[in-house]
Structure formats: C-alpha cells, structure tokens
Amino acid sequence: MANRRFEMYQYRQVIVRMRLGDTDRAIARSKLVGRKKAKAIREIAWSRGWLNPANDMPADEELANCFSQSSARSQTTSLVEPYGEEVKKWNGEGIQGITIHQALIRKYGFTGSYSSVRRYLQAIDAANPEASTVLDFEPGDSAQVDFGMGPVITDVYTGESFKTWVFVMVLAWSRHQYAELVRDQKVETWLGCHRRAFEAFGGVPAGVTIDNPKCAITRACYHDPDVQRAYAECAEGFGFLINALPPREPKKKGRVEAGVKYVKSNFLPLREFRSLSDANQQLTEWVGVLGIFRPKTTKCSGGPAIRALQRGITFLVCLVANYDKSIT
C-alpha cells in the first residue's frame, strides 16, 4: 500500500467523500486509501478550504501541486476510462467487478488488472452515493409479514422428514413479533398464521405490508396487484388494509426482513426438534423470552418492545370472535 501510485481522480474521490461527511475510517474501509493517507489528505484539503461544500472542487493541476505529483502523472487516467460508459452501465445493472473485468478482457483484450477495475467502480460509487430513507410508523399503524426458509425437521414419532418455512409478523413501530414454523405456504396456512398472530398480539394493526406471495397475491404489479380472494375476505373480516409492495422492493419491509434473519440466525442454529409442534413450542418460548429483547436501531430502542405495548399502543379491536370464516 505504501508504494502504491495514486491517480488524480482518486485524490478527487477521497476529497468528494470527505465533503459528504465520510470519516477517515470509512474511507479506509472502502480501500480507496489507507487511514494515514486519508488523514494527510484531509489536513491539506481542510487548510485550503476544499472540504467546504460551498467551495468548488480544485482542478487536477492544483491537486498535483499540493500532493507533489508531476504534471505527467496528473494527466494519467485509469486504464478502464476508454470503456467508462459501458462499465458504468454494467455497474448500474448490479454486475460484479470480477465479471466486468473478465468481460473487458474477452471483448476488448483489456490488459489492466482487476484492481484497476475495482478502483474505477469505487470511484463511481463514491461520486454517486446511494440515498436511503428511514421509514417511520405510528403505534398500531402497520405490521409487516414475510416467509423465510426454515429447517428440515425429522419427526421422531413418524420418521418423516419435511421442509419447513418460518412465518414472521412484525409490528412496525415496536418490532414486537410473532413467529411460527409451517410446512407449506398454502392459502389456508397463510390465513391461519395471520389469525394466530393477531390473537398473540391481542389486536389487529391498521395495515399489513406484504411481499407478493402466491398465497396472497395472484398477480403482482406496481400499481394494482390482484389480491387472492380468501385473503381479501380475511382483511375485510379483521378490518385491516393490505399493502402489497411492488415487485423486487424488499427494503420497504425492512422490519420483517430483519426479523426473519434474526429468527434464522439466533433461534434455529444448534437446536434439535422432535416434531413440528415441538419446534413451534420452542419458538414461541424463545420469542416470548428472548426474541423481543433483540437490539433495535430505531427510536423505540429505549426498552423491550413489550413495554411499548404496555404503554398503550392503540390497536384496532380484535375481531377474531366476529370473523365467521373457517381459518385453520
């Protein structure tokens, strides 16, 4: 790293990231430069006012003078630059750097190393940081639902081995969750899990955010998905709105995505299950004792989610008793 040659565009990208608020540690983790070099660049950039977003970025000639680069070196460009537009297109499509490097060799006889491609992609990402938004919810406003792959269970009584799925419903504000292992994703299973989740919560949220499982959505689309008839009747009976997300946008239900991962990484490992009912008994006990105390990163992280419920989360009145549909 100490003998590595730095191009002007790399210095520029380091300064751009500093102007956006990145720390030296964060820049070092991106492998653009090391922490010591980032610190040296920051001191020079600060003294010249380059870190002030109100000021213009310095020209390459000015950068070369400050960082003791020769005028010839300041004109050096990345070997990837001639293929820049195509590389940017591939990067935008989510194609990995190794694949891009191999494609450049195959199509153009590219002679540069993979590291040159990696640095070029890092510069692109640094110049176009991805924005993210924290979704905010009111108490009782929404629950998020998802399925995740569960363990293969061998029933000790029958000898049958079968795959399972873990159903998780998470209250978006408090992150209090209900989880259950099931053998399939059929409509009756989906509806039954909803009923048992509402019974466990003691109420029904105003809306339920889902992906596009076939047991709930018969035709997925961005604007007007077709809801499975039995699920629509279930929503009407319990009094909640169905919020079906657009295809391939799991980040919009990040609460339950994290909830499924938490169950799979913290409950399932190193456990033995004698049957499906035994697995669900263990899961229920774990959720009730340990699962609700998991660390949280949102504003309700001051205590266990169950305390938030006890402080008066306002749910709609549970309509289980009045729902006359047969849900197993």
Side-chain angles (χ1 to χ4, degrees):
M1 179 69 76
N3 296 324
R4 175 178 151 193
R5 189 178 77 177
F6 289 87
E7 313 292 355
M8 283 303 103
Y9 79 91
Q10 291 174 276
Y11 282 107
R12 179 176 294 278
Q13 291 308 318
V14 171
I15 295 173
V16 167
R17 294 188 63 158
M18 290 178 176
R19 286 162 66 101
L20 292 173
D22 272 10
T23 63
D24 295 347
R25 186 185 297 272
I27 294 172
R29 280 200 300 266
S30 73
K31 302 188 184 302
L32 197 56
V33 296
R35 288 180 63 183
K36 289 184 178 180
K37 194 166 189 71
K39 180 180 179 181
I41 294 173
R42 184 181 295 275
E43 290 175 352
I44 295 175
W46 178 264
S47 66
R48 294 177 174 267
W50 295 341
L51 300 186
N52 185 351
N55 297 334
D56 293 334
M57 283 289 294
D60 282 353
E61 292 76 9
E62 189 175 359
L63 289 175
N65 292 332
C66 290
F67 296 111
S68 302
Q69 300 286 334
S70 66
S71 59
R73 286 278 296 279
S74 68
Q75 300 299 320
T76 302
T77 58
S78 171
L79 293 175
V80 185
E81 189 62 40
Y83 322 104
E85 291 302 319
E86 197 163 15
V87 169
K88 290 177 182 178
K89 177 184 175 183
W90 291 338
N91 184 60
E93 294 173 354
I95 299 175
Q96 295 185 350
I98 293 178
T99 305
I100 292 175
H101 180 238
Q102 293 171 347
L104 291 175
I105 295 174
R106 187 170 57 252
K107 294 181 66 175
Y108 304 110
F110 182 66
T111 59
S113 66
Y114 165 68
S115 295
S116 63
V117 175
R118 175 175 56 80
R119 290 193 296 269
Y120 192 84
L121 294 176
Q122 288 174 342
I124 294 174
D125 294 339
N128 301 280
E130 182 179 355
S132 60
T133 302
V134 177
L135 299 179
D136 199 10
F137 300 91
E138 293 298 323
D141 178 53
S142 177
Q144 299 179 1
V145 179
D146 201 6
F147 275 119
M149 180 65 74
V152 175
I153 296 178
T154 300
D155 193 307
V156 298
Y157 305 106
T158 65
E160 179 188 8
S161 294
F162 50 87
K163 294 181 179 179
T164 64
W165 300 86
V166 57
F167 170 92
V168 178
M169 179 181 288
V170 177
L171 301 180
W173 186 80
S174 66
R175 292 200 181 185
H176 187 45
Q177 70 179 26
Y178 171 84
E180 179 180 347
L181 287 165
V182 295
R183 297 184 60 159
D184 55 59
Q185 298 186 38
K186 295 180 180 178
V187 175
E188 56 267 28
T189 302
W190 174 256
L191 301 183
C193 287
H194 276 63
R195 175 174 59 81
R196 290 185 287 274
F198 296 152
E199 289 174 343
F201 292 144
V204 180
V208 175
T209 299
I210 63 173
D211 213 335
N212 291 280
K214 293 182 179 180
C215 55
I217 302 298
T218 58
R219 185 180 67 88
C221 70
Y222 275 86
H223 303 293
D224 191 20
D226 291 340
V227 179
Q228 206 277 343
R229 180 176 178 180
Y231 190 43
E233 292 177 352
C234 174
E236 180 182 355
F238 279 110
F240 66 85
L241 296 176
I242 300 172
N243 177 25
L245 296 179
R248 296 178 295 279
E249 292 195 13
K251 291 183 179 180
K252 292 186 177 180
K253 57 178 181 66
R255 299 285 200 278
V256 73
E257 292 282 335
V260 171
K261 291 179 181 178
Y262 188 71
V263 172
K264 293 172 69 173
S265 61
N266 289 270
F267 169 72
L268 295 181
L270 306 180
R271 286 180 180 264
E272 295 182 358
F273 306 117
R274 294 175 296 173
S275 63
L276 183 62
S277 59
D278 173 58
N280 274 316
Q281 182 178 350
Q282 293 187 45
L283 179 56
T284 300
E285 293 173 354
W286 176 82
V287 169
V289 177
L290 297 176
I292 59 174
F293 290 92
R294 63 193 179 97
K296 302 172 182 64
T297 57
T298 54
K299 65 181 181 181
C300 64
S301 60
I306 192 64
R307 294 181 187 171
L309 290 172
Q310 294 171 345
R311 286 198 300 267
I313 291 181
T314 55
F315 291 108
L316 297 177
V317 176
C318 186
L319 301 177
V320 174
N322 297 328
Y323 184 55
D324 58 0
K325 301 293 182 182
S326 175
I327 304 176
T328 59

